[in-house]
Amino acid sequence: LGMEDQRPPPDGITVLGHTLDRRKPLASYLVFPCRVTALEVKGNDRTRREVVEREMKAALAATDHHQLAVELAHASFRLEESFKDAVCEVDCADATGGDGADDAVKIAVHVQEKARHTLSYSTAAKDGEGSLEVAWTVRHLLPYGERLRTAVSMGLNGSNQFRAMFARPHAVEGISLSGEAFTEAHADPSQALPREKRRGVVVRGAQHE
């Protein structure tokens, strides 16, 4: 009768000269390392390069292709949120020709900025009163993605409204700020009362993850 080998199996398995830890899932060995060696930014005519670099910090520090893909997806989303007036296309390419390293990659960001000035109008009806609004938007007022929008609205019954809104993405680290000043007067022809007037200033802050 043969004797059964009671020794525990070895912790490591040698495959093609590499020792694999049998306690680790096989998928962990299918992660390919990478090293970002360059960041190329194009199309940012009115936006500073550091605005894009700020959103790419985690992607630039990625150590494998899976992590890089995840961080590039997050960075692309954050860029779209910061640049509501621009479209940012993010791509990744092999950069082994640069320094000869097999794991070298290059990130390329193409920023498609929208027109700097936009004039628009809209109509609306509220409480039985029709109104016309004319708005003027200035994008990239300063080189950090700022936006200014002014709007004037006139109603058929004499109501009127003026609003001026300013937004600054990432005014401080991780926080975007926006402010709005407004004045409005509401007229109700069914009541023999003076127009109801309001004015004020609103400041908002939003924290980014």
Side-chain angles (χ1 to χ4, degrees), residues 117-157:
H117 301 274
T118 299
L119 185 64
S120 61
Y121 70 91
S122 61
T123 58
K126 182 179 180 181
D127 298 330
E129 181 183 19
S131 63
L132 171 67
E133 180 185 89
V134 178
W136 176 43
T137 303
V138 183
R139 301 180 178 91
H140 306 286
L141 185 65
L142 298 173
Y144 293 96
E146 294 84 353
R147 185 191 329 145
L148 174 67
R149 183 179 187 270
T150 57
V152 178
S153 175
M154 301 294 295
L156 295 176
N157 297 333

mmCIF file of all heavy atoms in Angstrom, residues 117-157:
data_model
loop_
_atom_site.group_PDB
_atom_site.id
_atom_site.type_symbol
_atom_site.label_atom_id
_atom_site.label_comp_id
_atom_site.label_asym_id
_atom_site.label_seq_id
_atom_site.Cartn_x
_atom_site.Cartn_y
_atom_site.Cartn_z
ATOM 1 N N HIS A 117 -18.259 84.130 -26.099
ATOM 2 C CA HIS A 117 -19.459 84.933 -25.844
ATOM 3 C C HIS A 117 -20.681 84.246 -26.452
ATOM 4 O O HIS A 117 -20.614 83.731 -27.569
ATOM 5 C CB HIS A 117 -19.326 86.337 -26.450
ATOM 6 C CG HIS A 117 -18.155 87.109 -25.922
ATOM 7 N ND1 HIS A 117 -18.231 87.853 -24.765
ATOM 8 C CD2 HIS A 117 -16.888 87.236 -26.380
ATOM 9 C CE1 HIS A 117 -17.055 88.424 -24.547
ATOM 10 N NE2 HIS A 117 -16.223 88.055 -25.507
ATOM 11 N N THR A 118 -21.772 84.249 -25.704
ATOM 12 C CA THR A 118 -23.021 83.693 -26.200
ATOM 13 C C THR A 118 -24.169 84.619 -25.818
ATOM 14 O O THR A 118 -24.295 85.017 -24.651
ATOM 15 C CB THR A 118 -23.299 82.292 -25.621
ATOM 16 O OG1 THR A 118 -22.250 81.411 -26.005
ATOM 17 C CG2 THR A 118 -24.618 81.740 -26.138
ATOM 18 N N LEU A 119 -24.996 84.961 -26.794
ATOM 19 C CA LEU A 119 -26.194 85.757 -26.568
ATOM 20 C C LEU A 119 -27.395 84.869 -26.841
ATOM 21 O O LEU A 119 -27.482 84.251 -27.911
ATOM 22 C CB LEU A 119 -26.213 86.981 -27.486
ATOM 23 C CG LEU A 119 -27.360 87.984 -27.276
ATOM 24 C CD1 LEU A 119 -27.248 88.620 -25.894
ATOM 25 C CD2 LEU A 119 -27.347 89.050 -28.370
ATOM 26 N N SER A 120 -28.299 84.785 -25.875
ATOM 27 C CA SER A 120 -29.448 83.893 -26.026
ATOM 28 C C SER A 120 -30.716 84.569 -25.519
ATOM 29 O O SER A 120 -30.658 85.578 -24.804
ATOM 30 C CB SER A 120 -29.213 82.580 -25.264
ATOM 31 O OG SER A 120 -29.035 82.834 -23.877
ATOM 32 N N TYR A 121 -31.842 84.003 -25.886
ATOM 33 C CA TYR A 121 -33.118 84.526 -25.388
ATOM 34 C C TYR A 121 -34.082 83.364 -25.181
ATOM 35 O O TYR A 121 -33.929 82.291 -25.782
ATOM 36 C CB TYR A 121 -33.718 85.556 -26.363
ATOM 37 C CG TYR A 121 -34.227 84.963 -27.655
ATOM 38 C CD1 TYR A 121 -35.553 84.534 -27.778
ATOM 39 C CD2 TYR A 121 -33.381 84.827 -28.753
ATOM 40 C CE1 TYR A 121 -36.018 83.993 -28.961
ATOM 41 C CE2 TYR A 121 -33.841 84.279 -29.935
ATOM 42 C CZ TYR A 121 -35.167 83.867 -30.037
ATOM 43 O OH TYR A 121 -35.625 83.318 -31.205
ATOM 44 N N SER A 122 -35.064 83.580 -24.338
ATOM 45 C CA SER A 122 -36.070 82.556 -24.071
ATOM 46 C C SER A 122 -37.364 83.237 -23.640
ATOM 47 O O SER A 122 -37.361 84.388 -23.199
ATOM 48 C CB SER A 122 -35.593 81.585 -22.984
ATOM 49 O OG SER A 122 -35.368 82.270 -21.768
ATOM 50 N N THR A 123 -38.452 82.532 -23.793
ATOM 51 C CA THR A 123 -39.764 83.030 -23.358
ATOM 52 C C THR A 123 -40.333 82.082 -22.321
ATOM 53 O O THR A 123 -40.008 80.884 -22.298
ATOM 54 C CB THR A 123 -40.728 83.139 -24.549
ATOM 55 O OG1 THR A 123 -40.863 81.843 -25.169
ATOM 56 C CG2 THR A 123 -40.220 84.128 -25.580
ATOM 57 N N ALA A 124 -41.159 82.620 -21.449
ATOM 58 C CA ALA A 124 -41.761 81.812 -20.387
ATOM 59 C C ALA A 124 -43.090 82.430 -19.979
ATOM 60 O O ALA A 124 -43.393 83.592 -20.308
ATOM 61 C CB ALA A 124 -40.818 81.711 -19.195
ATOM 62 N N ALA A 125 -43.873 81.651 -19.273
ATOM 63 C CA ALA A 125 -45.151 82.131 -18.738
ATOM 64 C C ALA A 125 -45.267 81.670 -17.293
ATOM 65 O O ALA A 125 -45.042 80.494 -16.986
ATOM 66 C CB ALA A 125 -46.316 81.600 -19.554
ATOM 67 N N LYS A 126 -45.552 82.615 -16.406
ATOM 68 C CA LYS A 126 -45.680 82.301 -14.985
ATOM 69 C C LYS A 126 -46.791 83.151 -14.390
ATOM 70 O O LYS A 126 -46.819 84.368 -14.592
ATOM 71 C CB LYS A 126 -44.362 82.567 -14.257
ATOM 72 C CG LYS A 126 -44.399 82.217 -12.783
ATOM 73 C CD LYS A 126 -43.061 82.488 -12.125
ATOM 74 C CE LYS A 126 -43.095 82.146 -10.648
ATOM 75 N NZ LYS A 126 -41.804 82.426 -9.984
ATOM 76 N N ASP A 127 -47.693 82.488 -13.671
ATOM 77 C CA ASP A 127 -48.833 83.173 -13.033
ATOM 78 C C ASP A 127 -49.619 83.989 -14.049
ATOM 79 O O ASP A 127 -50.073 85.102 -13.781
ATOM 80 C CB ASP A 127 -48.353 84.078 -11.891
ATOM 81 C CG ASP A 127 -47.663 83.300 -10.787
ATOM 82 O OD1 ASP A 127 -48.021 82.126 -10.594
ATOM 83 O OD2 ASP A 127 -46.749 83.851 -10.146
ATOM 84 N N GLY A 128 -49.755 83.431 -15.246
ATOM 85 C CA GLY A 128 -50.539 84.094 -16.266
ATOM 86 C C GLY A 128 -49.847 85.247 -16.962
ATOM 87 O O GLY A 128 -50.473 85.942 -17.780
ATOM 88 N N GLU A 129 -48.566 85.457 -16.719
ATOM 89 C CA GLU A 129 -47.834 86.557 -17.338
ATOM 90 C C GLU A 129 -46.717 86.010 -18.216
ATOM 91 O O GLU A 129 -45.878 85.239 -17.763
ATOM 92 C CB GLU A 129 -47.243 87.485 -16.280
ATOM 93 C CG GLU A 129 -46.478 88.661 -16.871
ATOM 94 C CD GLU A 129 -45.839 89.539 -15.805
ATOM 95 O OE1 GLU A 129 -45.680 89.053 -14.666
ATOM 96 O OE2 GLU A 129 -45.502 90.695 -16.117
ATOM 97 N N GLY A 130 -46.733 86.415 -19.477
ATOM 98 C CA GLY A 130 -45.665 86.029 -20.375
ATOM 99 C C GLY A 130 -44.465 86.943 -20.211
ATOM 100 O O GLY A 130 -44.609 88.118 -19.867
ATOM 101 N N SER A 131 -43.270 86.406 -20.436
ATOM 102 C CA SER A 131 -42.051 87.207 -20.275
ATOM 103 C C SER A 131 -41.008 86.794 -21.300
ATOM 104 O O SER A 131 -41.033 85.675 -21.829
ATOM 105 C CB SER A 131 -41.475 87.057 -18.862
ATOM 106 O OG SER A 131 -41.096 85.708 -18.623
ATOM 107 N N LEU A 132 -40.104 87.706 -21.568
ATOM 108 C CA LEU A 132 -38.989 87.472 -22.473
ATOM 109 C C LEU A 132 -37.694 87.719 -21.710
ATOM 110 O O LEU A 132 -37.542 88.754 -21.054
ATOM 111 C CB LEU A 132 -39.066 88.415 -23.671
ATOM 112 C CG LEU A 132 -37.836 88.439 -24.604
ATOM 113 C CD1 LEU A 132 -37.685 87.113 -25.330
ATOM 114 C CD2 LEU A 132 -37.941 89.597 -25.598
ATOM 115 N N GLU A 133 -36.762 86.772 -21.802
ATOM 116 C CA GLU A 133 -35.465 86.900 -21.135
ATOM 117 C C GLU A 133 -34.353 86.926 -22.179
ATOM 118 O O GLU A 133 -34.338 86.119 -23.110
ATOM 119 C CB GLU A 133 -35.211 85.746 -20.172
ATOM 120 C CG GLU A 133 -33.864 85.838 -19.463
ATOM 121 C CD GLU A 133 -33.554 84.644 -18.588
ATOM 122 O OE1 GLU A 133 -32.963 83.661 -19.103
ATOM 123 O OE2 GLU A 133 -33.913 84.694 -17.403
ATOM 124 N N VAL A 134 -33.438 87.860 -22.028
ATOM 125 C CA VAL A 134 -32.257 87.956 -22.870
ATOM 126 C C VAL A 134 -31.036 87.773 -21.967
ATOM 127 O O VAL A 134 -30.922 88.455 -20.930
ATOM 128 C CB VAL A 134 -32.184 89.304 -23.612
ATOM 129 C CG1 VAL A 134 -30.915 89.382 -24.447
ATOM 130 C CG2 VAL A 134 -33.420 89.490 -24.499
ATOM 131 N N ALA A 135 -30.146 86.864 -22.338
ATOM 132 C CA ALA A 135 -28.984 86.547 -21.495
ATOM 133 C C ALA A 135 -27.702 86.631 -22.299
ATOM 134 O O ALA A 135 -27.665 86.304 -23.491
ATOM 135 C CB ALA A 135 -29.137 85.157 -20.888
ATOM 136 N N TRP A 136 -26.651 87.054 -21.624
ATOM 137 C CA TRP A 136 -25.315 87.144 -22.222
ATOM 138 C C TRP A 136 -24.355 86.375 -21.321
ATOM 139 O O TRP A 136 -24.251 86.634 -20.119
ATOM 140 C CB TRP A 136 -24.878 88.605 -22.346
ATOM 141 C CG TRP A 136 -23.488 88.803 -22.859
ATOM 142 C CD1 TRP A 136 -22.889 88.148 -23.886
ATOM 143 C CD2 TRP A 136 -22.513 89.722 -22.362
ATOM 144 N NE1 TRP A 136 -21.607 88.599 -24.083
ATOM 145 C CE2 TRP A 136 -21.348 89.576 -23.162
ATOM 146 C CE3 TRP A 136 -22.506 90.675 -21.341
ATOM 147 C CZ2 TRP A 136 -20.197 90.314 -22.948
ATOM 148 C CZ3 TRP A 136 -21.363 91.412 -21.141
ATOM 149 C CH2 TRP A 136 -20.214 91.239 -21.929
ATOM 150 N N THR A 137 -23.657 85.414 -21.900
ATOM 151 C CA THR A 137 -22.719 84.576 -21.152
ATOM 152 C C THR A 137 -21.301 84.791 -21.662
ATOM 153 O O THR A 137 -21.070 84.770 -22.876
ATOM 154 C CB THR A 137 -23.080 83.087 -21.279
ATOM 155 O OG1 THR A 137 -24.427 82.879 -20.825
ATOM 156 C CG2 THR A 137 -22.135 82.220 -20.458
ATOM 157 N N VAL A 138 -20.377 85.002 -20.726
ATOM 158 C CA VAL A 138 -18.952 85.123 -21.062
ATOM 159 C C VAL A 138 -18.242 83.939 -20.421
ATOM 160 O O VAL A 138 -18.215 83.810 -19.191
ATOM 161 C CB VAL A 138 -18.350 86.443 -20.545
ATOM 162 C CG1 VAL A 138 -16.891 86.553 -20.978
ATOM 163 C CG2 VAL A 138 -19.148 87.632 -21.054
ATOM 164 N N ARG A 139 -17.675 83.075 -21.244
ATOM 165 C CA ARG A 139 -16.952 81.906 -20.751
ATOM 166 C C ARG A 139 -15.457 82.206 -20.681
ATOM 167 O O ARG A 139 -14.948 83.009 -21.442
ATOM 168 C CB ARG A 139 -17.191 80.712 -21.669
ATOM 169 C CG ARG A 139 -18.654 80.321 -21.810
ATOM 170 C CD ARG A 139 -18.800 79.127 -22.752
ATOM 171 N NE ARG A 139 -20.188 78.720 -22.845
ATOM 172 C CZ ARG A 139 -21.040 79.181 -23.753
ATOM 173 N NH1 ARG A 139 -20.633 80.084 -24.634
ATOM 174 N NH2 ARG A 139 -22.286 78.762 -23.778
ATOM 175 N N HIS A 140 -14.785 81.502 -19.755
ATOM 176 C CA HIS A 140 -13.336 81.661 -19.590
ATOM 177 C C HIS A 140 -12.985 83.144 -19.423
ATOM 178 O O HIS A 140 -12.073 83.669 -20.077
ATOM 179 C CB HIS A 140 -12.583 81.054 -20.776
ATOM 180 C CG HIS A 140 -12.942 79.626 -21.035
ATOM 181 N ND1 HIS A 140 -12.509 78.599 -20.223
ATOM 182 C CD2 HIS A 140 -13.711 79.047 -21.987
ATOM 183 C CE1 HIS A 140 -12.983 77.454 -20.680
ATOM 184 N NE2 HIS A 140 -13.719 77.700 -21.728
ATOM 185 N N LEU A 141 -13.742 83.788 -18.549
ATOM 186 C CA LEU A 141 -13.488 85.206 -18.288
ATOM 187 C C LEU A 141 -12.055 85.405 -17.801
ATOM 188 O O LEU A 141 -11.378 86.364 -18.163
ATOM 189 C CB LEU A 141 -14.490 85.722 -17.252
ATOM 190 C CG LEU A 141 -14.456 87.204 -16.929
ATOM 191 C CD1 LEU A 141 -14.863 88.018 -18.150
ATOM 192 C CD2 LEU A 141 -15.383 87.523 -15.756
ATOM 193 N N LEU A 142 -11.592 84.490 -16.962
ATOM 194 C CA LEU A 142 -10.210 84.418 -16.494
ATOM 195 C C LEU A 142 -9.679 83.036 -16.865
ATOM 196 O O LEU A 142 -10.467 82.144 -17.226
ATOM 197 C CB LEU A 142 -10.146 84.669 -14.982
ATOM 198 C CG LEU A 142 -10.630 86.065 -14.520
ATOM 199 C CD1 LEU A 142 -10.691 86.129 -13.005
ATOM 200 C CD2 LEU A 142 -9.747 87.158 -15.086
ATOM 201 N N PRO A 143 -8.391 82.787 -16.782
ATOM 202 C CA PRO A 143 -7.835 81.536 -17.317
ATOM 203 C C PRO A 143 -8.028 80.299 -16.448
ATOM 204 O O PRO A 143 -7.286 79.327 -16.598
ATOM 205 C CB PRO A 143 -6.346 81.871 -17.485
ATOM 206 C CG PRO A 143 -6.066 82.893 -16.459
ATOM 207 C CD PRO A 143 -7.316 83.726 -16.375
ATOM 208 N N TYR A 144 -8.987 80.306 -15.543
ATOM 209 C CA TYR A 144 -9.211 79.136 -14.694
ATOM 210 C C TYR A 144 -10.632 78.599 -14.841
ATOM 211 O O TYR A 144 -11.167 77.991 -13.922
ATOM 212 C CB TYR A 144 -8.920 79.476 -13.231
ATOM 213 C CG TYR A 144 -7.458 79.756 -12.966
ATOM 214 C CD1 TYR A 144 -6.978 81.051 -12.951
ATOM 215 C CD2 TYR A 144 -6.552 78.715 -12.779
ATOM 216 C CE1 TYR A 144 -5.634 81.313 -12.734
ATOM 217 C CE2 TYR A 144 -5.214 78.959 -12.558
ATOM 218 C CZ TYR A 144 -4.766 80.265 -12.535
ATOM 219 O OH TYR A 144 -3.428 80.523 -12.331
ATOM 220 N N GLY A 145 -11.267 78.839 -15.987
ATOM 221 C CA GLY A 145 -12.599 78.295 -16.252
ATOM 222 C C GLY A 145 -13.737 79.120 -15.685
ATOM 223 O O GLY A 145 -14.851 78.612 -15.533
ATOM 224 N N GLU A 146 -13.514 80.378 -15.367
ATOM 225 C CA GLU A 146 -14.564 81.215 -14.797
ATOM 226 C C GLU A 146 -15.652 81.515 -15.837
ATOM 227 O O GLU A 146 -15.388 81.513 -17.053
ATOM 228 C CB GLU A 146 -13.998 82.539 -14.272
ATOM 229 C CG GLU A 146 -13.054 82.377 -13.089
ATOM 230 C CD GLU A 146 -11.643 82.053 -13.502
ATOM 231 O OE1 GLU A 146 -11.411 81.812 -14.708
ATOM 232 O OE2 GLU A 146 -10.772 82.012 -12.620
ATOM 233 N N ARG A 147 -16.848 81.810 -15.329
ATOM 234 C CA ARG A 147 -17.963 82.110 -16.207
ATOM 235 C C ARG A 147 -18.819 83.218 -15.605
ATOM 236 O O ARG A 147 -19.086 83.225 -14.402
ATOM 237 C CB ARG A 147 -18.819 80.867 -16.407
ATOM 238 C CG ARG A 147 -19.954 81.048 -17.406
ATOM 239 C CD ARG A 147 -20.922 79.883 -17.359
ATOM 240 N NE ARG A 147 -20.262 78.645 -17.009
ATOM 241 C CZ ARG A 147 -20.842 77.710 -16.267
ATOM 242 N NH1 ARG A 147 -22.046 77.894 -15.775
ATOM 243 N NH2 ARG A 147 -20.201 76.600 -15.986
ATOM 244 N N LEU A 148 -19.249 84.155 -16.447
ATOM 245 C CA LEU A 148 -20.135 85.242 -16.030
ATOM 246 C C LEU A 148 -21.372 85.215 -16.913
ATOM 247 O O LEU A 148 -21.268 85.149 -18.143
ATOM 248 C CB LEU A 148 -19.429 86.597 -16.155
ATOM 249 C CG LEU A 148 -20.292 87.837 -15.875
ATOM 250 C CD1 LEU A 148 -20.708 87.873 -14.406
ATOM 251 C CD2 LEU A 148 -19.530 89.113 -16.244
ATOM 252 N N ARG A 149 -22.533 85.274 -16.273
ATOM 253 C CA ARG A 149 -23.797 85.287 -17.022
ATOM 254 C C ARG A 149 -24.695 86.389 -16.481
ATOM 255 O O ARG A 149 -24.902 86.488 -15.269
ATOM 256 C CB ARG A 149 -24.523 83.945 -16.917
ATOM 257 C CG ARG A 149 -25.814 83.861 -17.743
ATOM 258 C CD ARG A 149 -26.452 82.487 -17.609
ATOM 259 N NE ARG A 149 -27.577 82.313 -18.508
ATOM 260 C CZ ARG A 149 -28.839 82.618 -18.202
ATOM 261 N NH1 ARG A 149 -29.133 83.120 -16.994
ATOM 262 N NH2 ARG A 149 -29.798 82.433 -19.082
ATOM 263 N N THR A 150 -25.187 87.229 -17.364
ATOM 264 C CA THR A 150 -26.132 88.278 -16.992
ATOM 265 C C THR A 150 -27.421 88.051 -17.778
ATOM 266 O O THR A 150 -27.392 87.663 -18.952
ATOM 267 C CB THR A 150 -25.576 89.680 -17.299
ATOM 268 O OG1 THR A 150 -25.242 89.765 -18.692
ATOM 269 C CG2 THR A 150 -24.328 89.955 -16.462
ATOM 270 N N ALA A 151 -28.547 88.283 -17.123
ATOM 271 C CA ALA A 151 -29.841 88.040 -17.754
ATOM 272 C C ALA A 151 -30.830 89.117 -17.340
ATOM 273 O O ALA A 151 -30.891 89.507 -16.169
ATOM 274 C CB ALA A 151 -30.375 86.658 -17.379
ATOM 275 N N VAL A 152 -31.593 89.594 -18.312
ATOM 276 C CA VAL A 152 -32.650 90.581 -18.085
ATOM 277 C C VAL A 152 -33.960 89.989 -18.582
ATOM 278 O O VAL A 152 -34.024 89.464 -19.701
ATOM 279 C CB VAL A 152 -32.357 91.905 -18.820
ATOM 280 C CG1 VAL A 152 -33.507 92.891 -18.609
ATOM 281 C CG2 VAL A 152 -31.054 92.507 -18.344
ATOM 282 N N SER A 153 -35.004 90.065 -17.751
ATOM 283 C CA SER A 153 -36.308 89.527 -18.104
ATOM 284 C C SER A 153 -37.373 90.616 -17.949
ATOM 285 O O SER A 153 -37.387 91.343 -16.952
ATOM 286 C CB SER A 153 -36.648 88.328 -17.203
ATOM 287 O OG SER A 153 -37.952 87.863 -17.453
ATOM 288 N N MET A 154 -38.254 90.714 -18.956
ATOM 289 C CA MET A 154 -39.339 91.693 -18.932
ATOM 290 C C MET A 154 -40.661 90.967 -19.147
ATOM 291 O O MET A 154 -40.785 90.159 -20.073
ATOM 292 C CB MET A 154 -39.136 92.748 -20.024
ATOM 293 C CG MET A 154 -37.830 93.531 -19.904
ATOM 294 S SD MET A 154 -37.777 94.570 -18.432
ATOM 295 C CE MET A 154 -39.084 95.728 -18.809
ATOM 296 N N GLY A 155 -41.662 91.280 -18.278
ATOM 297 C CA GLY A 155 -42.971 90.653 -18.382
ATOM 298 C C GLY A 155 -44.007 91.562 -19.027
ATOM 299 O O GLY A 155 -43.865 92.791 -19.026
ATOM 300 N N LEU A 156 -45.059 90.962 -19.571
ATOM 301 C CA LEU A 156 -46.101 91.730 -20.245
ATOM 302 C C LEU A 156 -46.895 92.599 -19.277
ATOM 303 O O LEU A 156 -47.465 93.620 -19.683
ATOM 304 C CB LEU A 156 -47.058 90.770 -20.980
ATOM 305 C CG LEU A 156 -46.448 89.967 -22.145
ATOM 306 C CD1 LEU A 156 -47.476 88.999 -22.709
ATOM 307 C CD2 LEU A 156 -45.949 90.916 -23.215
ATOM 308 N N ASN A 157 -46.928 92.225 -18.015
ATOM 309 C CA ASN A 157 -47.682 92.999 -17.022
ATOM 310 C C ASN A 157 -46.808 93.998 -16.268
ATOM 311 O O ASN A 157 -47.284 94.634 -15.323
ATOM 312 C CB ASN A 157 -48.357 92.062 -16.016
ATOM 313 C CG ASN A 157 -49.378 91.163 -16.676
ATOM 314 O OD1 ASN A 157 -49.963 91.506 -17.709
ATOM 315 N ND2 ASN A 157 -49.608 89.981 -16.088
#
